[in-house]
Amino acid sequence: MSTTSEELAQARQRISAAYDPQLFNQSAHRLADLLALNLDRAQRSEGPVLPWMDPPDAITEARASLHRAETSPDDSSGTDCPERFAHLVTTMLERGLNLQDPRYIGHQVPAPVPLAGLFDAVGSATNQCMAIYEMGPWATAVEQAMVRELGEAIGWAPDSFAGSATHGGSLANLTGLLTARNVALGEAWEQGLADSAARPVLLVHADAHYSVARAAGILGLGSRNTVRVGLDRQGRMDPRRLDEALTRAHSLNQPVVAVVACACATPTGAFDPLEEIAEACRRHGVWLHVDAAHGGAALLSGRHRHLLAGLEQADSVVWDAHKMLFVPALCTFILYREKSHSFDAFRQDAPYLFDPAAPGMAEYDSGVRTVECTKRATVFGLWGVWSLFGRQLFADMVDVTFALGRTFYEKLSEAEDFLPLHVPQCNIVVFRHIPATLRAAPAERIGAFQLELRRRLIESGEFYIVPSTVDGIGALRTTIINPLTTPAHLEQLLDALRRQGQELLRG
Ligand SMILES: Cc1ncc(COP(=O)(O)O)c(C=O)c1O
């Protein structure tokens, strides 16, 4: 059945209404007011940090609004559209996790500098996506400007290195390790690994983020060939054990695809001794990949830069801006010390995209270097905030949150009913609450108590922290990643845990 001209005219009218600049203008003004109000309330901790809702109820509510436009079609094109837009935005704000509340002390995902979100919105509303330079010329320029700034912060000479942005640290780890595999195993991209007699291995920090093990699986290396290198008492990769593992692999004729070190490791934020690790890698002629997703930002702080000494010797580095550079997810960089390696991850022809008539352009086409073909312009927020406030703001946020990690550790150490489980090197602090009545309880009971206590705490909306395990026993984990959190909030957290803990024990 063909569409009549009258139906087409009606369809065009509905489309025009959705694309109307005036509607956009009115809605955007409402949005600015609502976001600013929400920010102010969140910073003053007016509502719950997490407005807990059971998932099925949340889904039912989210579905309900989908059908409102169909039951009253005039609403979507009529004058009350900005009003309904404001209503939907209000619902989004009321139902979401309030990372801007200083009592959010949870995942390695920050309370972003709010203006970063506005720069991102420019990219979204105009769809400045990437794959090739001409699709997103300014998005590409911004991404490459940041690559240069971050590479130079690592200590690499201008123009000697390269990199690109990816949708998150997991994809960046995969991309870096794919590059390492192609370099170490020559023909692996074309031939695969099925025919290789020697089993190539990956030597990784024993507590590396799970995306590293996933990368090993995806790359066909196999989880059995991922060797977890032992750690010292502070949770850092032990260079002596790394050296032994490298020597063993060599004596067994097993090619080593890469060594994966962490700066810092996810569980407790421990920074590996990169200088010694790099030295071992150099001696054995092996690729060093450093996952600096969380800790890379410490390079920007004069006080904490030393934690990353040796990073400049890495072959590939992962750095999440959506962690300690305080911009909205996702914004990650995969960086290569040697410029040419950024073209070693992928080999394919796509003549409809990569124009042979302009060969020099490939250097600027992100699609040749990343898993993504179409890629969101992920760097506008970082570039915008950096341009507005300068590098100092990032140093300040690292300094303030790392100092709070130390303050929190001291508070935990002083309290009789709290036990810090490590000396923090950054803003990640893992601990247990052990009320007097549980002091003699078996470790498993104490561990289970931490997890029950945490669930109770987050559902109350008072604070947001995350669960963890240390030596297989439950623990509480905080990442102080809202730079407006203060020592007073940390005191309140201990009080809230005590109170919720008592109620839990009373049953
Ligand atoms: C050390 C480390 N690497 C990689 C990742 C994964 O990054 P993403 O969540 O951006 O994929 C994380 C996440 O917390 C991490 O802590």
Side-chain angles (χ1 to χ4, degrees), residues 50-202:
L50 173 66
W52 177 259
M53 240 178 137
D54 282 328
D57 296 341
I59 295 166
T60 302
E61 186 179 335
R63 284 201 74 188
S65 68
L66 292 178
H67 302 291
R68 248 166 241 150
E70 280 156 30
T71 49
S72 49
D74 289 346
D75 285 357
S76 59
S77 53
T79 48
D80 71 337
C81 198
E83 204 49 51
R84 295 184 58 234
F85 170 81
H87 179 73
L88 290 169
V89 170
T90 304
T91 306
M92 290 168 76
L93 295 173
E94 283 175 355
R95 300 288 181 264
L97 175 63
N98 279 312
L99 286 83
Q100 297 289 0
D101 188 315
R103 300 169 302 162
Y104 163 81
I105 316 179
H107 291 283
Q108 290 163 269
V109 176
V113 180
L115 290 178
L118 297 187
F119 287 110
D120 278 353
V122 177
S124 290
T126 60
N127 210 9
Q128 296 300 297
C129 55
M130 306 169 70
I132 57 170
Y133 176 69
E134 64 207 44
M135 285 173 78
W138 192 245
T140 306
V142 159
E143 178 180 308
Q144 285 306 311
M146 284 317 310
V147 162
R148 283 161 208 206
E149 202 68 29
L150 300 185
E152 288 177 25
I154 290 175
W156 292 333
D159 289 332
S160 66
F161 62 91
S164 37
T166 67
H167 287 106
S170 303
L171 264 191
N173 272 330
L174 176 66
T175 310
L177 293 175
L178 172 60
T179 307
R181 187 201 73 173
N182 291 346
V183 170
L185 305 181
E187 300 293 293
W189 180 270
E190 291 80 8
Q191 294 184 1
L193 301 182
D195 290 341
S196 81
R199 285 181 298 121
V201 288
L202 199 59

Side-chain angles (χ1 to χ4, degrees), residues 13-75:
Q13 225 172 6
R14 287 191 293 268
I15 292 169
S16 297
Y19 279 71
D20 179 27
Q22 194 54 31
L23 168 65
F24 187 81
N25 184 310
Q26 290 169 359
S27 304
H29 278 95
R30 296 297 300 271
L31 177 64
D33 289 344
L34 289 167
L35 283 176
L37 189 66
N38 182 67
L39 182 61
D40 187 45
R41 285 196 181 139
Q43 288 182 357
R44 287 189 285 112
S45 297
E46 271 192 7
V49 188
L50 173 66
W52 177 259
M53 240 178 137
D54 282 328
D57 296 341
I59 295 166
T60 302
E61 186 179 335
R63 284 201 74 188
S65 68
L66 292 178
H67 302 291
R68 248 166 241 150
E70 280 156 30
T71 49
S72 49
D74 289 346
D75 285 357

Side-chain angles (χ1 to χ4, degrees), residues 227-376:
V227 179
R228 299 170 75 234
V229 179
L231 309 178
D232 66 14
R233 291 161 67 89
Q234 277 80 41
R236 301 170 302 191
M237 185 191 274
D238 181 345
R240 192 182 42 81
R241 285 192 246 181
L242 172 65
D243 197 59
E244 286 165 10
L246 284 163
T247 305
R248 200 173 317 118
H250 182 71
S251 68
L252 295 172
N253 270 335
Q254 288 184 303
V256 177
V257 167
V259 166
V260 179
C262 296
C264 51
T266 311
T268 62
F271 284 76
D272 284 342
L274 296 178
E275 279 177 323
E276 291 167 78
I277 290 169
E279 161 61 22
C281 289
R282 201 170 38 249
R283 230 177 313 115
H284 291 269
V286 167
W287 182 283
L288 172 59
H289 174 83
V290 179
D291 182 348
H294 187 89
L299 285 170
L300 305 179
S301 154
R303 232 173 243 111
H304 300 289
R305 192 182 158 80
H306 67 95
L307 292 167
L308 292 139
L311 184 65
E312 70 287 352
Q313 298 174 57
D315 295 284
S316 50
V317 173
V318 168
W319 185 341
D320 272 6
H322 66 256
K323 289 189 166 58
M324 291 300 291
L325 292 180
F326 294 85
V327 296
L330 290 162
C331 180
T332 298
F333 294 86
I334 173 71
L335 302 158
Y336 299 97
R337 180 165 51 84
E338 265 185 44
K339 199 173 192 167
S340 61
H341 285 320
S342 76
F343 293 102
D344 283 333
F346 303 99
R347 288 165 212 171
Q348 70 285 292
D349 291 326
Y352 52 91
L353 275 184
F354 311 115
D355 182 0
M361 280 294 127
E363 189 178 336
Y364 303 101
D365 294 342
S366 68
V368 277
R369 284 175 280 126
T370 57
V371 174
E372 299 96 329
C373 174
T374 307
K375 186 173 80 170
R376 263 178 98 88

